[in-house]
Amino acid sequence: MSVKKFFKRKWTLSSMVTTTAVLAAVVTTSAGIFALYEMTLITKNTSELTDEWIPKISKVGEISTNIAKFRTAEWEAMDDKTAEEKKASEDRMDESSGNVTIYNKSFAKLIGDEDTQRSFDKFSEHWDKYVEEHDKFYSFWKEGKMSEAAAVLNGSQKIYSEMFDEMKSISDISFEGSLAAKESSDKISVRARWTVGSIALACLILSSILAWFIARYISRRIENVVNKLTDGSAILTGSIVEISGSSTNLSESVTEQVSALHETVASITEINTKVEQNNQTAEQTKQASAHSMKAAEQGLRNMDEVMSSIDHIAGGMKDLVGKIEDSHKEIAEINQIISAISEKTKVINDIVFQTRLLSFNASVEAARAGEHGKGFAVVAEEVGKLAQMSGASADEIGVLLESSTKKVQEIVERAKEQTNIVVETNKKQINSGHQTAKKCSDTLQEIRENINLVNELITKIASASEEQAHGLKEISGAMSQLNDSTSYNSNIASVTSKEAQRLDQQAKEQTVLIEDLTKLIKPAA
């Protein structure tokens, strides 16, 4: 597809946005991939710097430091006098030479280039030679031949210097390698910044151009839509005005019909309700009359039972009076028993007096008996105490019996008086009940006769009310059907009016939207 056809084709909004998003995604992805590639190179150089060159420089420093310590320990050993000093110097030499051996092995693992390997090999040769010279020095030093040991140390100075030169060469190589890695990382970082910035600028320019084309295209399409909507809105507004006027007139007319019909239906319903109420009232009155008739007949039967009950009550009262008199006799007998107990209590008092007298005599006789009568004196004293307690109890019983006798006599007298009063009162009430029951029986007889007459009249009224209710139900059914039809028409008119109003509101909202779109496409000057 040529560029001219590409821009002349009919683009939809979704296709334009999708194309723009795809182009932006492609450009952004390309910039991201390039940036990721550059970051990978920077990371590689940084790893090389941190994992290879910096550890090499550190190891070279540690090896050089321990070699210098080794050489210093050798010269210091020349001045040792005592065995302890020699032992300390020997330990320092062994420690520093051992550290050099360890660091040499660690450094050998870090070598990754030929120049460093070549310098390290030369250094290793010089170190081996220096160790051989050290062994000679150590032999003379242990034997105390200080002049020969000093000669060996002086002779090994050249090897020591060459060894340090090689270490400096290795350090220079490591420093130059780390510097090169840093410069490479800096160059890659600068290149990445410029490249990503250029891509971002290109994306901004491309997005601006695409946004301008999309906005221009959308503006033209919306302008056409607005013009069509404006024309359709004018036609729709006119139709809505006509529909709204017709719906309003129809709704008002139907509303008036519904109002009149509702009033008619309400009147008929009210009349029908009253007729039904009268019918129900007549039926209820008939039922109530039947219940009253049954109640009157039941009342007559109950009055007969009341008369019979009153007669039974009179007989029962006679029996009750007889039983009360028997109770009075029994209470009198109880009073006699209490009197007999009182007489027996006097006998007990006499016995108590005699017992106390005997106890006194026994105490006197015991006193005469001396030592032999002490036990009998104690018994006599206890018997006297029991006699005294029995006398006190007998006195209390006598007081209680005397009080009980008085109370029993008072109860008997009061019961006789109350019984006489109750008997006289019941006789009067029984006579009055006979007379009242006779009057009630005569009244219930008259009520039964009147109820029969009311039942006949109610039957006639109920029959007429049923005929009226039947006719009113037929009229009410017809009016209800007419009311339903009118209500249905009213609902249709109301719905039509509401729909017209809603269409009018939508037309107004559509007009506002059209004005907003017009302002968006052609802003005011």
Side-chain angles (χ1 to χ4, degrees):
M1 183 183 291
S2 64
V3 177
K4 187 175 182 181
K5 289 182 179 180
F6 179 81
F7 285 105
K8 283 187 175 181
R9 64 175 292 185
K10 292 183 178 180
W11 291 87
T12 62
L13 180 60
S14 60
S15 62
M16 295 179 73
V17 173
T18 303
T19 303
T20 304
V22 170
L23 290 174
V26 170
V27 175
T28 305
T29 303
S30 301
I33 293 172
F34 178 77
L36 183 63
Y37 173 73
E38 295 294 328
M39 289 300 296
T40 303
L41 294 177
I42 293 172
T43 303
K44 181 180 178 181
N45 290 330
T46 303
S47 299
E48 181 181 352
L49 181 63
T50 57
D51 297 340
E52 181 177 354
W53 299 116
I54 292 176
K56 284 180 180 179
I57 294 171
S58 176
K59 295 296 181 184
V60 167
E62 292 173 349
I63 292 170
S64 300
T65 300
N66 282 279
I67 291 173
K69 288 181 180 180
F70 187 53
R71 182 74 174 176
T72 302
E74 288 178 336
W75 280 109
E76 289 177 350
M78 295 295 294
D79 297 329
D80 294 338
K81 304 297 182 182
T82 63
E84 289 80 5
E85 291 176 351
K86 291 182 179 181
K87 181 67 172 63
S89 297
E90 185 177 355
D91 292 338
R92 285 197 296 274
M93 287 186 288
D94 291 340
E95 181 182 2
S96 56
S97 63
N99 289 334
V100 171
T101 303
I102 294 171
Y103 291 136
N104 284 343
K105 292 180 180 179
S106 300
F107 186 82
K109 296 178 181 179
L110 297 174
I111 298 173
D113 59 293
E114 294 179 357
D115 294 335
T116 304
Q117 185 66 49
R118 202 164 31 249
S119 297
F120 183 73
D121 291 341
K122 291 180 180 179
F123 163 76
S124 298
E125 292 175 359
H126 291 308
W127 171 250
D128 293 338
K129 291 179 181 179
Y130 189 82
V131 170
E132 291 176 359
E133 294 296 320
H134 170 73
D135 292 338
K136 294 178 182 179
F137 162 79
Y138 184 76
S139 298
F140 291 131
W141 178 73
K142 289 291 286 184
E143 294 174 359
K145 298 177 181 180
M146 295 302 176
S147 59
E148 288 83 352
V152 172
L153 283 177
N154 290 325
S156 64
Q157 179 63 37
K158 181 180 179 182
I159 300 172
Y160 177 77
S161 299
E162 291 175 351
M163 187 167 52
F164 260 92
D165 291 338
E166 293 300 330
M167 292 303 298
K168 184 176 181 303
S169 176
I170 294 172
S171 177
D172 292 339
I173 292 170
S174 298
F175 180 74
E176 290 174 359
S178 63
L179 186 62
K182 180 179 179 301
E183 290 177 354
S184 177
S185 297
D186 293 339
K187 290 179 181 179
I188 293 171
S189 177
V190 172
R191 183 177 64 194
R193 283 199 296 271
W194 277 102
T195 304
V196 173
S198 302
I199 293 173
L201 181 62
C203 288
L204 180 62
I205 295 171
L206 180 62
S207 300
S208 301
I209 294 171
L210 290 175
W212 182 80
F213 277 110
I214 292 172
R216 184 180 177 188
Y217 176 78
I218 293 173
S219 177
R220 289 180 179 177
R221 295 290 297 271
I222 292 176
E223 185 176 0
N224 294 330
V225 173
V226 168
N227 293 332
K228 292 180 181 180
L229 287 174
T230 302
D231 297 337
S233 177
I235 297 171
L236 179 62
T237 302
S239 301
I240 289 171
V241 171
E242 294 179 0
I243 293 171
S244 179
S246 300
S247 298
T248 302
N249 295 330
L250 176 61
S251 178
E252 291 176 353
S253 177
V254 172
T255 302
E256 292 176 357
Q257 292 178 1
V258 169
S259 178
L261 187 59
H262 281 174
E263 291 177 358
T264 304
V265 170
S267 299
I268 293 174
T269 303
E270 186 176 358
I271 293 170
N272 190 16
T273 302
K274 290 181 178 180
V275 170
E276 290 180 353
Q277 289 177 354
N278 291 333
N279 194 10
Q280 292 176 359
T281 302
E283 184 64 27
Q284 292 175 358
T285 304
K286 185 176 179 181
Q287 293 177 359
S289 178
H291 287 300
S292 298
M293 186 67 178
K294 292 180 180 178
E297 292 176 353
Q298 184 65 34
L300 289 172
R301 289 192 294 270
N302 291 338
M303 288 307 300
D304 292 337
E305 293 178 358
V306 168
M307 294 292 289
S308 178
S309 297
I310 290 172
D311 292 336
H312 286 297
I313 290 170
M317 285 300 299
K318 291 180 181 179
D319 294 337
L320 179 60
V321 171
K323 290 180 180 179
I324 290 172
E325 290 176 354
D326 293 337
S327 297
H328 288 169
K329 291 178 181 179
E330 292 175 355
I331 292 171
E333 292 177 356
I334 291 170
N335 195 12
Q336 291 175 1
I337 293 169
I338 292 171
S339 298
I341 292 170
S342 179
E343 293 296 330
K344 300 296 183 182
T345 303
K346 293 178 181 180
V347 174
I348 292 171
N349 286 331
D350 294 337
I351 295 170
V352 168
F353 177 76
Q354 295 294 329
T355 303
R356 292 177 66 186
L357 182 60
L358 291 173
S359 174
F360 176 73
N361 292 330
S363 298
V364 173
E365 293 298 329
R368 290 178 181 176
E371 292 295 329
H372 299 287
K374 286 183 178 181
F376 188 71
V378 174
V379 174
E381 185 178 357
E382 293 298 326
V383 171
K385 291 180 180 179
L386 291 174
Q388 186 177 359
M389 293 172 61
S390 299
S393 299
D395 291 338
E396 292 176 359
I397 292 170
V399 173
L400 291 173
L401 289 174
E402 185 178 356
S403 175
S404 299
T405 302
K406 290 180 180 180
K407 287 183 179 180
V408 169
Q409 288 177 354
E410 291 175 358
I411 290 169
V412 170
E413 294 298 330
R414 190 164 55 251
K416 285 182 180 180
E417 291 176 359
Q418 291 178 355
T419 301
N420 292 329
I421 292 170
V422 171
V423 169
E424 291 298 327
T425 302
N426 286 333
K427 285 181 180 180
K428 291 179 181 179
Q429 289 178 351
I430 288 170
N431 292 330
S432 176
H434 271 292
Q435 294 176 2
T436 303
K438 184 65 172 63
K439 291 179 181 179
C440 289
S441 179
D442 295 338
T443 303
L444 289 172
Q445 186 65 35
E446 291 178 2
I447 290 172
R448 184 171 63 178
E449 293 175 357
N450 292 331
I451 288 172
N452 289 328
L453 179 60
V454 171
N455 281 337
E456 293 177 358
L457 296 175
I458 289 172
T459 302
K460 293 179 181 179
I461 293 170
S463 177
S465 296
E466 287 179 357
E467 293 178 359
Q468 291 177 359
H470 182 70
L472 286 172
K473 283 182 180 179
E474 293 180 354
I475 295 171
S476 179
M479 293 302 294
S480 296
Q481 292 178 356
L482 182 60
N483 186 21
D484 293 338
S485 300
T486 307
S487 298
Y488 180 73
N489 293 333
S490 177
N491 291 332
I492 293 175
S494 177
V495 170
T496 304
S497 178
K498 289 180 180 179
E499 291 296 327
Q501 292 176 0
R502 190 171 68 176
L503 287 174
D504 185 36
Q505 182 65 28
Q506 290 180 352
K508 292 178 181 178
E509 293 176 357
Q510 185 175 353
T511 303
V512 173
L513 292 175
I514 291 170
E515 291 176 355
D516 293 339
L517 288 173
T518 303
K519 291 178 182 178
L520 181 64
I521 298 169
K522 297 179 179 180

